[in-house]
Structures are given as C-alpha cells and as structure tokens.
C-alpha cells in the first residue's frame, strides 16, 4: 500500500486566556500544525504545536513539509524508516507519528488504545493547567474549570515564594480538600528559594512540585528532595530514558512528567514510562496547549499504559479558542476515549 497524499496545515490558535504566562514565557496564542497522511482510502491525522522558546511555527512547519515530500507516494510500510532518517524536533516527529497511528487504526477499524495493548482502565482523572495570576485573581481563574467538574489542577508559579504559597493557600481555602493540586515552577527558583517553597507548601496538601530548579540542576533536585515535605516531579530535565536513569540513580525526583511532544513518538513515551517504573519513579502524563488530536492520543495512551498515573493533562486543547476537540469524552472530573477507530474524527480544517 502506497501513501497517496500528505498534507500539512499550520494554524494560529488563540488562547482562551490571552494573559497566559508561566515563569518562563507569555503567550496569547499557540501555533498549531496538522499533518495528514492518506492511504488505502483512509486519512490519518496527527498534530503538534510550536513552543515560544524552543520551536517556532515556521520551523515546525518547514520540518513537516520536508517529511511530507519524502513520504508522498512511498510504501506505507516504509514510512517509519523514512521518518527515522530525518533529524526532527520532538514536536515535529510526534505529528507524523500520530498521523501514522491514526491511519493504521482507521485501516484496521480499531481505536488506538486497542492497538496499543488494550485499555487497562476505563477513564482517567483530568488535570487542567492555570497560568500565573495575581494571588487575589487565581480563585476566579480556577472557578470556571471547577464548575465544569474538574478536580485536579496544575498551578503555574514562580514569581516569588510568598506569592506562590499565598496562591495555593487561597485556592485550597476556597475549594477545600476536594482538589488535587500540582505546582509547576518551570525552573524558576534557586536552591534556597525552592526549599522555602516546598516547606511552605508542606501543610497545604500539594500532590507534587514540578521542576522548581533549573532544568540541568540534578544535584540541586537531589538535595531538595532529601529535605522537601512535598514530592518533586522532574520535567524538562528528562528528555530520554538515559535521563530517567540519571535522575533515578541520583534520587533527584519522585515522579517524571512525560509528554508526547517531548518524547517525539508514542513508542518512545511508553518505553520511557517503563524505564521510570523499573527505576522506581512515578509517571505523570503531561500535556500542553495543542490541537485536540494530541489530547486524544494522550488520553488513549493513559488508558492503555499501566505504568502511567491516573492523573493526566489530557484537556489543554480546551484552553484554545475554536479548536476541534476530537476523540475524547470529558465528563467533568474524568476523561476517556470515544472508542472510534484511530484517534477519533478528522478535523474539518483538513
């Protein structure tokens, strides 16, 4: 079977929150890119998103256009070999990888979670992110999501220890113990302030603090973990299985955040999840603001991979205006697959 056509579409997507920011960047919009592969009368669609500091939408689109030219009219069974021969950013390769998984699922008439080994759970706990806000405004930012039934949040922090503790305290006091709260500092703090943050959060029932220290400060994470009353999650310092082993051997984290856009493929994400489990590290499936196809893949991956925690960031496409969220069924606190072949329906923009 040959690939009949490949299409790439770049689309600027506005954020629902135009004041979105983390400790490392601000962004009122996201550059989304779709990648469609047609073969055997079916179309598989993948997607990804640019990153304000690491990969522009122009760079992402150029890399995907190069792959599209290389794949067109080639045998479908050669697609992964062709893909593997190109030096792509993870955010580019994942769009192609998801398109191929989607296509195979549609050709087989099976949902991706079945092809990936079958569901080990029927739903996952939805985690939604909230960007940095003034402490007195954070409750109002959380409330609309809380009112839809969401009960797990990742709060972006990093502009001052006391302000961050105040943010968490306000949210906890307003919504009570029903919330699961994760904190993400995106590497904003030095060792002294990171420890002060973790100690200040110790009595606020925080699930974990993600990447409080700079991305390469493994020694600092190890030192902090030995003193912190709150569990630590490593994100940007883990980009491969080798990184997992380094972090585990150093005792630098309790949990690792895996992202499809970071690992570059479903297979690599599963492989690294297995390495995390084998080395005693918890596995959190992280997300980012990207087209809904990515959320569909994340949801199905969380449903079919036992090593992944039941809390997963599989709803961030909802943070984008007018995105077509496909393949996921959201029921307030939970998310699950719609059970359709591949990764779900095809976005009308294609």
């Amino acid at each position: 079977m040959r690939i009949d056509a490949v299409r790439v579409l770049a689309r600027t997507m506005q954020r629902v929150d135009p004041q979105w920011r983390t400790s490392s960047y601000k962004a009122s919009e996201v550059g989304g890119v779709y990648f469609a592969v047609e073969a055997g009368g079916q179309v598989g669609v993948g997607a990804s998103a640019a990153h304000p500091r690491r990969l522009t939408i122009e760079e992402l689109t150029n890399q995907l256009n190069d792959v599209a030219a290389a794949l067109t009219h080639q045998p479908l069974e050669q697609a992964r070999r062709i893909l593997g021969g190109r030096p792509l950013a993870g955010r580019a390769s994942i769009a192609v990888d998801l398109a191929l998984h989607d296509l195979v699922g549609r050709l087989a008439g099976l949902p991706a979670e079945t092809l990936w080994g079958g569901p080990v759970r029927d739903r996952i706990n939805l985690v939604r992110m909230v960007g940095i806000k003034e402490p007195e405004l954070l409750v109002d930012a959380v409330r609309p999501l809380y009112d839809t039934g969401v009960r797990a949040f990742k709060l972006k922090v990093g502009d001052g220890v006391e302000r961050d503790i105040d943010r968490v305290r306000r949210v906890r006091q307003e919504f009570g113990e029903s919330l699961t709260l994760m904190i993400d500092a995106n590497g904003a703090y030095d060792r002294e302030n990171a420890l002060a943050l973790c100690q200040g959060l110790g009595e606020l029932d925080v699930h974990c603090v993600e990447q409080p220290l700079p991305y390469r400060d493994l020694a600092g994470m190890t030192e902090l973990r030995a003193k912190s009353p709150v569990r630590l999650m490593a994100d940007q310092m883990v980009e491969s299985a080798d990184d997992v082993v380094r972090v585990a051997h150093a005792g630098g984290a309790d949990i690792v955040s895996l992202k499809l856009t970071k690992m570059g493929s479903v297979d690599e994400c599963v492989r690294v999840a297995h390495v995390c489990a084998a080395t005693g590290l918890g596995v959190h499936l992280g997300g980012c603001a990207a087209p809904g196809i990515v959320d569909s893949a994340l949801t199905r991956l969380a449903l079919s991979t036992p090593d992944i925690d039941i809390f997963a960031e599989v709803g961030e496409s909802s943070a984008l205006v007018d995105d077509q969220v496909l393949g996921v069924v959201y029921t307030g606190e939970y998310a699950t697959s719609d059970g359709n072949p591949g990764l779900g329906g095809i976005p009308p923009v294609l």
Side-chain angles (χ1 to χ4, degrees), residues 7-61:
R7 300 189 295 279
V8 177
L9 174 68
R11 180 184 172 204
T12 298
M13 312 169 83
Q14 300 299 315
R15 281 186 172 271
V16 173
D17 176 8
Q19 278 77 49
W20 170 266
R21 71 182 178 100
T22 73
S23 65
S24 60
Y25 71 89
K26 300 178 181 179
S28 61
E29 60 186 29
V30 171
V33 181
Y34 298 87
F35 190 90
V37 180
E38 183 175 352
Q42 296 286 346
V43 179
V45 182
S48 188
H51 189 282
R53 295 184 58 193
R54 297 181 199 140
L55 188 70
T56 67
I57 191 170
E58 292 80 14
E59 292 168 335
L60 177 56
T61 304

Side-chain angles (χ1 to χ4, degrees), residues 201-212:
L201 296 174
E203 296 181 354
L204 294 174
D205 190 24
V206 170
H207 182 75
C208 65
V209 175
E210 181 175 348
Q211 204 62 59

Side-chain angles (χ1 to χ4, degrees), residues 41-226:
Q42 296 286 346
V43 179
V45 182
S48 188
H51 189 282
R53 295 184 58 193
R54 297 181 199 140
L55 188 70
T56 67
I57 191 170
E58 292 80 14
E59 292 168 335
L60 177 56
T61 304
N62 288 340
Q63 289 189 25
L64 291 177
N65 279 328
D66 178 66
V67 176
L71 290 180
T72 303
H73 303 312
Q74 296 299 314
L76 179 58
E77 58 269 23
Q78 296 296 319
R80 294 200 173 277
R81 180 188 61 79
I82 295 169
L83 176 62
R86 282 173 153 67
L88 298 175
R91 285 176 175 261
S93 64
I94 192 59
V96 186
D97 185 72
L98 294 183
L100 295 174
H101 280 289
D102 188 36
L103 177 60
V104 170
R106 294 178 187 282
L107 290 170
L110 296 171
E113 64 269 26
T114 299
L115 294 176
W116 297 343
V120 296
R121 51 181 69 99
D122 62 1
R123 62 185 184 178
I124 52 179
N125 293 67
L126 176 65
V127 179
R128 288 298 308 276
M129 287 188 258
V130 179
I132 292 179
K133 300 292 181 186
E134 291 300 311
E136 62 273 17
L137 300 178
L138 186 56
V139 165
D140 288 340
V142 169
R143 189 175 300 283
L145 296 171
Y146 180 88
D147 288 345
T148 68
V150 178
R151 293 296 182 267
F153 292 88
K154 178 189 284 185
L155 306 179
K156 294 288 188 176
V157 300
D159 65 350
V161 170
E162 293 305 319
R163 287 165 59 80
D164 289 343
I165 295 170
D166 187 24
R167 289 182 174 103
V168 178
R169 182 178 294 111
R170 286 171 183 263
V171 172
R172 180 62 77 200
Q173 288 176 345
E174 179 68 23
F175 299 104
E177 299 302 315
S178 63
L179 294 192
T180 296
L181 295 179
M182 306 176 188
I183 311 303
D184 185 5
N186 288 101
Y189 287 116
D190 59 22
R191 297 183 185 186
E192 179 181 356
N193 283 301
L195 178 58
L197 174 66
C198 291
Q199 289 176 334
L201 296 174
E203 296 181 354
L204 294 174
D205 190 24
V206 170
H207 182 75
C208 65
V209 175
E210 181 175 348
Q211 204 62 59
L213 292 170
Y215 304 159
R216 298 306 171 197
D217 189 7
L218 178 54
M221 288 284 283
T222 301
E223 177 183 310
L224 177 61
R225 180 170 175 257

Side-chain angles (χ1 to χ4, degrees), residues 233-307:
M233 181 155 67
D235 179 10
Q236 290 88 348
M237 67 168 41
V238 175
E239 297 182 341
S240 67
D242 288 343
D243 289 340
V244 170
V245 174
R246 288 192 310 105
V247 170
H249 284 177
D254 301 281
I255 310 166
V256 167
S257 176
L258 297 185
K259 298 182 175 76
L260 285 173
T261 50
K262 180 169 63 172
M263 309 321 298
S265 73
V266 171
D267 289 349
E268 182 64 9
C269 204
V270 172
R271 188 174 78 89
V272 175
H274 291 337
V275 174
C276 287
T279 54
L281 291 169
V283 182
H284 174 76
L285 195 58
C288 64
I293 295 167
V294 178
D295 278 340
S296 178
L298 286 167
T299 300
R300 294 160 193 261
L301 183 60
L303 291 173
S304 60
T305 308
D307 294 327

